Amino acid sequence: MKPMKEQREDLIRVTSKTLFSLLDSVIDANTFFMAYNNGRQNTILSAWNRDEELITEGAVLPYSASYCSLVGEKDALVMIEDTTQSPLTCDMPVTVDMGKVSFLGVPIRLKNGDLYGTICSLDREHIFTDQDGERLMHVASVVSGLIQLEATTYFDDLTGFLRYSALESLYERELSDVATSVIFMDLDNFKEVNDGYGHSTGDRVLQSLARAIRKAAEPDWLLCRYGGDEFVVVLPTNDANKVRKAVDDLVEAFREEDMPLTDEEESPTLSIGVCLEADSLREYIERADMAMYRIKKGGKAGVSIFRVEDEQAELDMRQALQGGELELHFQPIVDAEDGHSLAYEALLRWNHPTRGSVPPGEAIEAAEKAGLIQQVDLWVLREACMATHLLRPIERIHVNITVKSLRDPYFVEQAEQVFFETGCSPDKIEIELNETTQRLDASHILPQLLQLREWGVTFSLDDLGSQSSSGIGLLQELPISTLKIDRVLSQNAEHNPISRAMIRGVVAMAQELQLSVVVEGVETDKQHRLLLSLGCLHMQGYYFSRPKPLRQLRLEEKQRNKIAFTS
């Protein structure tokens, strides 16, 4: 596989040679060429010769000994009628070798002002004109725009690493039939760095990690900033010893990198997951990600390899997905004054053939362990979308989507496909962000949430008031539409004045911010009346309805309609 730099040059080479073939019809020249200048060497990236081969593609000259250095020094168009007579070029070795030619050269300047290289033309007979110069300047502008577009489309602005879409494309083209492995890296406690020092310092920490990865990397590794503080490295080998050495080199380079933090602060650490075998890049990343999360849960700062025994968990969850073992139950969210259903929350149930009903939290943990959480989340979204056609909620169906899916741009692409295939309007879906999401740095998921919001999806901040929730701060960072008060507050409100005060505070804040409020865990008439007096207009809990399968909800709805009709 070619190193990343060579693959970028290939794209520029093909495009520039196409432009040169078109230039031949408007500029009378034997040769057009494009050179990359790094201040030391002048490398011919592409060359087009009509008859005589004056320039060879791939040739390298000392920068100061090339005609291109004249263009760089002047930073403008350079036109020389006869290189053997001009005092600028007559004594240069390239003139002695080539003999008399006319030269025309223009600089390629990038958007940030850096000199990338030059585009030049040569001919033994034709004397170039100002009009020729204008045309060559236009071509240089097109090539500069292409380089800039390629950089912003395929490469992360902060680190210069591949974006995921570019990684996927390169993998399919270069590595789909090659034994590979994936290393998934995540900075530990990065949220604390952002919160304590600010995002500008957080960005410098990410750049420090990127420098360390680049120092340790071999030329044929693919380096990707996967999202937030997560990085993916694809190696063109699955040899365990080579991969282990690669991980050791990455960790060592990171330890040696200076971090932009005070001496008193403990340096950030890395949680690393590795996958040596999978059927696709997506599966490699999911398995490596799953292995990394095992380190996170075990105390962080370590390395984990996707184990063969994990495959049984994967088989169990695949069977659950494909065998109809998963089911959604729907619990109404009601108008607290008249009890009418406004929305529904979709809650996952796993009906295991031998274990019976598996609790939702355990089902999610099993899906994460199996590396299939995104498939489960997409299944939940699809089922909820289809249910909108039957339940026809006045507002929306709420779904619980995990952090691991929300931080993945690929999930957004898949969600768009789900909306299209089910015919569900995105504005009928609300995604609940629970306490796990709240412990995450918002930058991990914000781009994906903004894209979903653009389509009409809304978001709830769940579990407010629970011991594990710290979500209020996210109101400043994420596009929240609804606040959900946890059952801990609602059930303590009768006897605890602090709980009542907190509920009043959430309601007042929501009114000020024009947000909706839903209070969960309402189980008695007394709780209902108290919460109503505290300003809670939307409620959810056993007092109104337990979570029920879709078929049962539909049957009860038909019975209510029948009673209403006969009365």
Side-chain angles (χ1 to χ4, degrees):
M1 182 180 68
K2 291 183 179 179
M4 197 61 239
K5 180 175 179 292
E6 291 184 22
Q7 298 201 39
R8 296 182 69 175
E9 290 174 354
D10 281 348
L11 174 64
I12 297 167
R13 180 179 297 111
V14 171
T15 304
S16 60
K17 290 179 78 170
T18 301
L19 291 171
F20 293 160
S21 66
L22 297 174
L23 270 179
D24 180 49
S25 63
V26 293
I27 299 178
D28 187 6
N30 179 82
T31 300
F32 297 100
F33 66 93
M34 175 180 171
Y36 169 70
N37 321 133
N38 63 7
R40 301 183 304 278
Q41 291 181 325
N42 193 63
T43 303
I44 307 301
L45 291 183
S46 61
W48 183 93
N49 296 282
R50 182 173 55 202
D51 298 314
E52 183 183 1
E53 187 174 355
L54 295 175
I55 296 292
T56 303
E57 195 170 283
V60 179
L61 282 176
Y63 183 58
S64 59
S66 67
Y67 293 156
C68 296
S69 65
L70 305 174
V71 180
E73 290 169 5
K74 189 176 179 182
D75 193 21
L77 180 149
V78 172
M79 193 183 303
I80 299 174
E81 184 175 326
D82 183 345
T83 54
T84 61
Q85 298 300 315
S86 170
L88 296 173
T89 56
C90 62
D91 295 328
M92 294 177 76
V94 66
T95 303
V96 175
D97 292 340
M98 190 179 298
K100 174 188 173 181
V101 293
S102 295
F103 171 79
L104 175 64
V106 298
I108 304 172
R109 284 277 172 193
L110 302 180
K111 189 177 181 180
N112 63 4
D114 290 346
L115 177 68
Y116 179 84
T118 52
I119 291 182
C120 309
S121 55
L122 302 167
D123 197 84
R124 293 203 185 277
E125 303 296 333
H126 176 66
I127 298 174
F128 296 111
T129 65
D130 290 340
Q131 188 177 45
D132 294 336
E134 290 176 3
R135 288 167 174 164
L136 208 59
M137 287 290 288
H138 177 69
V139 170
S141 176
V142 171
V143 171
S144 173
L146 170 72
I147 295 169
Q148 189 69 29
L149 177 64
E150 183 250 1
T152 56
T153 301
Y154 296 104
F155 296 91
D156 174 61
D157 294 335
L158 185 66
T159 64
F161 285 5
L162 290 166
R163 298 182 188 273
Y164 174 71
S165 58
L167 174 68
E168 194 173 37
S169 176
L170 282 172
Y171 182 89
E172 290 302 318
R173 192 169 72 233
E174 302 285 345
L175 293 173
S176 59
D177 297 324
V178 177
T180 54
S181 56
V182 162
I183 301 170
F184 194 108
M185 294 178 286
D186 182 276
L187 269 172
D188 297 325
N189 303 319
F190 183 65
K191 184 179 188 302
E192 284 72 15
V193 173
N194 268 342
D195 290 346
Y197 291 88
H199 287 279
S200 60
T201 299
D203 286 348
R204 293 200 297 275
V205 170
L206 292 175
Q207 288 171 328
S208 297
L209 173 55
R211 280 195 301 273
I213 294 172
R214 199 174 276 111
K215 288 176 184 176
E218 297 293 334
D220 55 356
W221 295 7
L222 295 180
L223 313 178
C224 171
R225 184 184 178 196
Y226 190 66
D229 59 345
E230 300 164 331
F231 292 80
V232 166
V233 176
V234 180
L235 277 60
T237 179
N238 62 356
D239 180 275
N241 292 327
K242 292 180 180 178
V243 176
R244 189 177 295 110
K245 182 182 183 305
V247 171
D248 291 343
D249 290 346
L250 287 165
V251 172
E252 184 62 28
F254 180 65
R255 286 174 179 163
E256 293 175 354
E257 189 68 31
D258 291 332
M259 291 291 150
L261 303 174
T262 61
D263 294 337
E264 293 79 16
E265 284 291 329
E266 186 177 345
S267 296
T269 54
L270 290 173
S271 291
I272 299 175
V274 178
C275 177
L276 301 174
E277 186 176 359
D279 293 329
S280 66
L281 176 62
R282 169 57 44 185
E283 190 172 45
Y284 269 113
I285 291 175
E286 287 177 349
R287 288 179 169 184
D289 188 13
M290 182 184 72
M292 183 274 294
Y293 257 78
R294 188 181 299 120
I295 293 295
K296 288 281 190 187
K297 291 180 179 179
K300 306 178 182 180
V303 180
S304 174
I305 298 176
F306 181 85
R307 301 188 301 254
V308 174
E309 52 264 36
D310 294 329
E311 294 180 3
Q312 184 57 51
E314 183 177 342
L315 289 172
D316 287 347
M317 186 50 64
R318 286 195 187 280
Q319 172 59 33
L321 281 164
Q322 297 168 4
E325 296 173 14
L326 298 183
E327 183 180 28
L328 288 186
H329 286 198
F330 296 85
Q331 185 173 37
I333 297 170
V334 305
D335 184 322
E337 294 182 324
D338 60 21
H340 287 156
S341 298
L342 302 173
Y344 298 88
E345 181 177 358
L347 298 162
L348 180 65
R349 299 290 185 264
W350 181 8
N351 302 310
H352 195 279
T354 59
R355 296 168 56 196
S357 181
V358 178
E362 191 175 332
I364 294 299
E365 186 177 347
E368 288 182 340
K369 183 179 180 182
L372 294 171
I373 189 60
Q374 190 169 112
Q375 287 91 321
V376 171
D377 281 339
L378 285 169
W379 180 90
V380 168
L381 179 62
R382 182 179 296 276
E383 293 294 309
C385 284
M386 291 191 292
T388 61
H389 300 300
L390 298 175
L391 294 176
R392 298 186 180 277
I394 296 172
E395 294 181 355
R396 299 169 187 85
I397 290 183
H398 293 225
V399 294
N400 295 275
I401 303 296
T402 61
V403 170
K404 294 185 73 175
S405 291
L406 289 174
R407 63 189 168 88
D408 187 349
Y410 181 73
F411 176 81
V412 177
E413 296 177 18
Q414 296 294 93
E416 182 181 23
Q417 187 68 21
V418 168
F419 289 130
F420 174 76
E421 292 174 354
T422 61
C424 172
S425 175
D427 63 9
K428 284 297 181 182
I429 295 295
E430 184 155 318
I431 293 176
E432 297 200 356
L433 309 177
N434 61 25
E435 74 276 2
T436 305
T437 313
Q438 296 162 21
R439 291 195 296 269
L440 184 75
D441 185 355
S443 65
H444 283 74
I445 61 174
L446 181 58
Q448 288 74 254
L449 265 56
L450 291 177
Q451 180 63 70
L452 290 164
R453 185 183 68 171
E454 188 176 318
W455 299 337
V457 176
T458 54
F459 302 93
S460 303
L461 205 52
D462 198 12
D463 303 319
L464 290 180
S466 70
Q467 292 180 348
S468 59
S469 175
S470 58
I472 290 295
L474 290 181
L475 284 173
Q476 300 181 75
E477 302 180 71
L478 299 177
I480 305 300
S481 300
T482 304
L483 304 179
K484 296 195 75 176
I485 297 173
D486 189 74
R487 61 187 297 113
V488 171
L489 285 184
S490 64
Q491 296 192 350
N492 288 342
E494 289 183 56
H495 311 291
N496 190 326
I498 295 177
S499 295
R500 293 195 295 272
M502 290 177 67
I503 292 171
R504 287 194 191 97
V506 171
V507 170
M509 178 177 62
Q511 289 174 344
E512 180 71 20
L513 299 176
Q514 297 184 324
L515 304 177
S516 299
V517 173
V518 175
V519 60
E520 299 177 308
V522 183
E523 296 186 355
T524 68
D525 179 63
K526 193 173 181 180
Q527 288 175 355
H528 168 226
R529 286 185 281 108
L530 173 60
L531 293 166
L532 194 57
S533 72
L534 296 176
C536 300
L537 302 180
H538 295 174
M539 299 184 189
Q540 178 181 352
Y542 286 2
Y543 176 67
F544 304 100
S545 174
R546 290 178 177 271
K548 298 174 182 177
L550 182 59
R551 60 184 179 277
Q552 186 175 343
L553 275 177
R554 289 284 292 156
L555 180 60
E556 291 177 359
E557 180 182 320
K558 288 180 180 179
Q559 290 173 343
R560 283 196 300 270
N561 291 339
K562 184 177 181 181
I563 292 171
F565 178 77
T566 55
S567 60

